[in-house]
Structure formats: structure tokens, C-alpha cells
Amino acid sequence: MPTERSTVRGIVLMIISAALLALNDTVTKWLTESYPATQVWCLRTVFVLIPILAVAAHRGRWRELRVVSWRGQAVRAALFVSTTLLIVLSLESLPLPDVMAIVLASPLFVAALSMRILGERVSAERWAIVAIGFVGVLLIVRPTGAFQWIALIPVAASLSSALRDMVTRRIGRTETSLAILFYSSLAVIVIGLGSAPLFEWRAVSTSAWALLALNGALNGGAHFLMIESLRLGEAATVVPFKYSGLVWGLLLGFLVWRHIPDAWMLIGAALVAASGLYLLRLEYRPAPLENRD
């Protein structure tokens, strides 16, 4: 069972992961303005494998790539493929803050699924906090008119992301973080290259290769930290801290595309931030005196 210390460490890693994912999504959206989404999705993942192999080679940790549960790795890889592809397709068509807001509805799915899949206890208080965060997400999406049929793509990504996190938490008991990220990323590359003849790929410029390398490094680093976070703390506790990525999404959306948040966006962001801070407060809340040694 996760200890209080490991849970807090998991929360910190999730917050860092959220920031890296926001930067990653910004670079991805920038690239999809010039290249097909499937091409960006596949090629950026090639660069995810490079640091994984470099770490394994430098530290002599090749044994960490061994697989204990091929079935678990396969299910996680399939969910990783669907989640990343759906997010890239969403970024190609929708504003960055909208996509991040909808995808960050996944903690609600996690809270619901963690009871049955992981056997974790979700208190009524935590349910209420996650629900408040979800209301904030809805307020952020509403002003931009994102509730169209195209918005079903990031909604599907949100559900897929929640299922991926559930599987990650379960197989993390036997599989290393390097192995989980390596085989999931390898699946994206294989499927992406295999489907290349079905889509129109364009010649990649030198500057685009540099962005793809940065994209891969950000994506790989974010998911590695996310896997570690889910290993250290209960999913229903650490996953809601993905909400912190909304702050970065709003900032990057303004700096890169001049998306100016209105009152609804700011109110929603405040609710999201408040829910995350209150969850952190629950982790530090002292135990009742009768339960102390």
C-alpha cells in the first residue's frame, strides 16, 4: 500500500508530468499545422525511444526492459496508442486549452473505475472534489463552442487515458517504468509506420526534425514521470493533479496563438486549481487522535 510520503511524491511527479505534457501538446499542435497528424504522432515517438535506450545503456539497466506480463503490456500499449492518436487528432482540429480541458476529465473516469479495477476506496469527499474540478473543465470548454461532434474525439481520449492509467497502475506492480514506456512507444511506431501508406506524408524539414525531437523528449519524460507517479500513489489521488496542466495550457495558448481567456475560462481554471489544492490538503490532513500510535 502507498505510504503518505510516497503518495506526496507521486503527486509532485504528476504535477511535473502535467507541465511537460502541456509543452508537448503545444509543440504537437504547432507541428500539425504543417504536417499530417498521423505523421507527427508516429515520428515524435521515435524520439521517445532514444532517451529510454540511452538510459538503459548508460546505467546497464537492460534487464529493466524485460517483460513479466505480456498481456498487461499489450493492453497498456493498445490504450497508449489510442490515447495519443486521439489527442493528436484533437490538437489538429481544436484549440489547445479546449483539448486539454476535455482530456483532463479523465480523473472522473479514474475515480469511478479505480474502485472496481484497482480495488481502491474513493471517499464521498474526494468524489465531490473531483466533480468540482470537472465542473471547472466544463466552464472552460463552454465559451469556445467546443461542444460539437469533433469534441467527441478528446472525450474518447479522456476515457482511453483513464483506462490506460488503470492498467498502468496494475502492471506497475511487476513491470518497470522503462519497460512500460518502451513497449507502449514501440507499438505507436510500428502501427504508425504500418499505416503510413494509407496517409499522405510530407518531407520533413530540418527545423521540423528538431521540433519532433523536442516533442518526443517532452512526451517521453512526461509519461515516464506519470508512470512513476501511478506507481507511488493511488490512482484516484494522484491523477486529479493532471488538472494543474490547465494553467500551463492557458499560458501557452496565449503566448503561441494569442488565445485570451475570458471570465468563464478564468472561473473554470480557478475551480480546477482549487480542487487540486484541496486534494493536496487531504493528503496532509492529520489523522484523528484515536487512530494515532
Side-chain angles (χ1 to χ4, degrees):
M1 292 294 294
T3 64
E4 180 178 347
R5 183 177 180 181
S6 68
T7 298
V8 173
R9 288 176 59 196
I11 289 171
V12 172
L13 291 183
M14 185 61 75
I15 292 173
I16 298 173
S17 172
L20 294 181
L21 281 178
L23 289 169
N24 167 74
D25 289 345
T26 301
V27 177
T28 298
K29 184 170 178 60
W30 185 279
L31 285 166
T32 57
E33 293 177 355
S34 303
Y35 299 94
T38 52
Q39 184 177 3
V40 174
W41 171 65
C42 176
L43 294 182
R44 75 173 189 180
T45 311
V46 173
F47 292 99
V48 174
L49 290 184
I50 294 176
I52 296 175
L53 296 175
V55 169
H58 177 68
R59 299 183 179 179
R61 296 167 61 176
W62 294 108
R63 64 183 180 278
E64 292 192 22
L65 296 181
R66 69 183 182 88
V67 175
V68 176
S69 172
W70 282 105
R71 180 180 179 182
Q73 287 279 11
V75 173
R76 202 273 177 182
L79 291 169
F80 183 78
V81 167
S82 63
T83 300
T84 55
L85 178 58
L86 289 168
I87 290 175
V88 172
L89 290 173
S90 301
L91 289 168
E92 185 180 37
S93 307
L94 293 168
L96 175 64
D98 290 17
V99 174
M100 292 190 66
I102 299 173
V103 171
L104 284 174
S106 63
L108 193 59
F109 291 115
V110 169
L113 296 172
S114 60
M115 290 185 293
R116 180 174 296 274
I117 297 179
L118 300 180
E120 297 177 356
R121 180 179 177 274
V122 181
S123 67
E125 186 176 15
R126 191 173 294 168
W127 266 110
I129 297 169
V130 173
I132 291 172
F134 185 48
V135 170
V137 170
L138 295 178
L139 289 177
I140 292 172
V141 173
R142 179 182 174 275
T144 61
F147 281 120
Q148 310 168 46
W149 67 268
I150 196 69
L152 293 178
I153 298 178
V155 169
S158 179
L159 175 58
S160 181
S161 174
L163 291 170
R164 179 202 62 200
D165 291 344
M166 296 292 95
V167 175
T168 300
R169 177 74 174 142
R170 171 161 288 188
I171 69 173
R173 300 165 184 167
T174 59
E175 312 297 311
T176 67
S177 298
L178 278 178
I180 292 172
L181 186 55
F182 176 80
Y183 292 107
S184 293
S185 300
L186 186 62
V188 170
I189 295 173
V190 171
I191 294 175
L193 292 177
S195 63
L198 303 177
F199 304 96
E200 179 185 356
W201 280 30
R202 301 173 185 172
V204 181
S205 66
T206 303
S207 60
W209 278 117
L211 287 174
L212 285 166
L214 174 62
N215 203 189
L218 290 170
N219 188 271
H223 282 283
F224 182 83
L225 293 179
M226 188 184 302
I227 292 168
E228 285 293 297
S229 173
L230 290 166
R231 186 193 303 281
L232 292 169
E234 290 188 350
T237 300
V238 301
V239 171
F241 283 87
K242 286 183 180 180
Y243 281 143
S244 61
L246 279 173
V247 178
W248 291 104
L250 291 170
L251 178 61
L252 291 168
F254 172 74
L255 292 177
V256 180
W257 291 280
R258 289 296 184 266
H259 293 154
I260 301 176
D262 57 14
W264 287 110
M265 180 74 77
L266 294 176
I267 293 172
L271 288 175
V272 167
S275 66
L277 290 173
Y278 195 80
L279 280 171
L280 182 60
R281 178 177 177 274
L282 287 180
E283 293 304 313
Y284 282 105
R285 185 169 61 185
L289 290 176
E290 61 269 20
N291 292 336
R292 295 181 185 175
D293 294 331

